[in-house]
Amino acid sequence: MKNDMVEKGNEKNFSLNETGMEKEILFFIDNLEGLDEYRLPQRAYHIIRLAIRDLILSPGKTILEREMAEVLQMSRTPVREALVRLETEGMVRLIPRRGFIVEPIEREDLKQVYEIVETLDGLAVGLATEKVGEEEISKLESLIEQQEEALEQNDLKKWAILDDEFHHLIIDYAENKRLRAVIDSHSDQLYRARLFTINQRPLPFHSIVEHKAIVSCMRAKDGHAASVLMRSHRNRARNEILTVIGDTAQMD
């Protein structure tokens, strides 16, 4: 069954101004780079997508075009275009006469995403292993070291960002644009789920050990072993996250 996390969330949806969300979004925007390079619809899309991804706009949150346009200081047309695009990507859903709602993190949907990504990440690391050299391996090892430092500082948000970078870097090294496009279409949902559950899951020491093992296989040019380890790594993370989401559903 789907985790209907949006039900109770809708009962406490308020406007951006009433919840102080406006200030949080403006602060979030101030820390984004390169926004001036985008036309207005792309800029609105970029901001709203990342705000959903980083849980600034939380699952079940109502987004009204008028309010979002005021926050972003643009007309409603580019905001509408951005929201329609995000709806096609499964990030928001239009509720007649109520506006757009940020899609909940649903257990069954996330399970299906992980089933796809486990296989494709395994393929990516196998391809990457054939192509990487010492420089690429060193970059991966540096990210692992930074993850260890983040855990020592109990900075789980930083750890999650570095974890995302680690997996994306391996996909970059695979040098397969079509594979990248498919994985990218699901990456925001995975990141959002990791961030949503990070404080309810065990501290990710296992993840560090698994990352090191994957990189060791890559260094040894054993693509098959790296692929097996990557799939196992994703499977373990999936089980942890789905357990937390299942527990959350029972409490609602």
Side-chain angles (χ1 to χ4, degrees):
M1 291 180 62
K2 288 189 174 182
N3 171 19
D4 194 8
M5 293 171 60
V6 76
E7 291 295 332
K8 289 195 173 184
N10 285 346
E11 297 174 6
K12 51 189 179 185
N13 279 330
F14 302 102
S15 73
L16 297 176
N17 291 330
E18 288 172 339
T19 61
M21 188 70 69
E22 179 180 5
K23 290 183 180 179
E24 191 170 0
I25 291 177
L26 289 174
F27 178 79
F28 178 72
I29 293 171
D30 285 342
N31 288 278
L32 295 178
E33 298 179 355
L35 291 179
D36 292 339
E37 300 174 6
Y38 296 103
R39 292 172 49 248
L40 287 181
Q42 286 79 16
R43 188 183 306 173
Y45 166 81
H46 187 68
I47 292 170
I48 298 171
R49 180 181 69 82
L50 292 179
I52 293 172
R53 182 179 185 270
D54 279 28
L55 302 178
I56 305 300
L57 293 171
S58 58
K61 175 71 184 176
T62 297
I63 304 175
L64 300 179
E65 292 175 31
R66 172 182 51 79
E67 291 179 341
M68 185 58 69
E70 290 175 359
V71 171
L72 301 184
Q73 298 181 357
M74 58 181 69
S75 70
R76 293 173 62 173
T77 299
V79 171
R80 172 78 180 185
E81 289 182 25
L83 290 170
V84 169
R85 179 178 173 185
L86 287 165
E87 184 177 29
T88 65
E89 297 175 0
M91 299 292 283
V92 301
R93 174 162 37 101
L94 177 61
I95 305 295
R97 297 181 298 279
R98 295 193 62 181
F100 288 87
I101 289 183
V102 177
E103 283 284 11
I105 300 173
E106 296 179 330
R107 191 178 190 281
E108 183 57 32
D109 180 61
L110 191 61
K111 179 175 178 290
Q112 292 177 14
V113 170
Y114 261 107
E115 287 171 349
I116 294 169
V117 172
E118 281 174 26
T119 299
L120 296 184
D121 266 7
L123 173 60
V125 76
L127 293 172
T129 299
E130 299 173 1
K131 300 170 181 177
V132 295
E134 185 58 37
E135 181 179 353
E136 290 78 14
I137 293 292
S138 294
K139 287 181 180 179
L140 291 171
E141 290 176 335
S142 175
L143 285 174
I144 295 172
E145 290 175 2
Q146 292 175 60
Q147 284 190 292
E148 290 178 312
E149 292 172 2
L151 284 184
E152 290 174 2
Q153 299 164 2
N154 200 32
D155 190 340
L156 295 180
K157 174 68 179 294
K158 183 178 180 181
W159 176 89
I161 292 171
L162 291 166
D163 188 63
D164 201 49
E165 289 182 18
F166 178 86
H167 286 279
H168 274 78
L169 198 54
I170 289 176
I171 296 164
D172 285 343
Y173 294 159
E175 297 180 357
N176 186 312
K177 291 182 180 180
R178 292 185 181 273
L179 177 63
R180 158 123 249 165
V182 176
I183 294 177
D184 280 354
S185 69
H186 300 295
S187 63
D188 284 348
Q189 294 287 33
L190 294 185
Y191 181 82
R192 190 168 69 126
R194 287 203 299 275
L195 210 57
F196 185 77
T197 60
I198 190 84
N199 291 313
Q200 286 77 47
R201 293 160 52 198
L203 288 174
F205 294 111
H206 281 302
S207 182
I208 299 291
V209 173
E210 290 162 355
H211 282 184
K212 288 181 177 180
I214 290 167
V215 174
S216 292
C217 290
M218 295 177 72
R219 183 185 290 278
K221 292 297 180 182
D222 191 340
H224 175 71
S227 179
V228 170
L229 286 173
M230 177 64 80
R231 293 184 187 188
S232 175
H233 170 61
R234 283 299 203 185
N235 184 267
R236 181 195 53 76
R238 176 189 69 171
N239 291 337
E240 284 186 2
I241 289 173
L242 293 181
T243 296
V244 172
I245 291 176
D247 291 343
T248 304
Q250 293 177 20
M251 291 189 294
D252 283 350

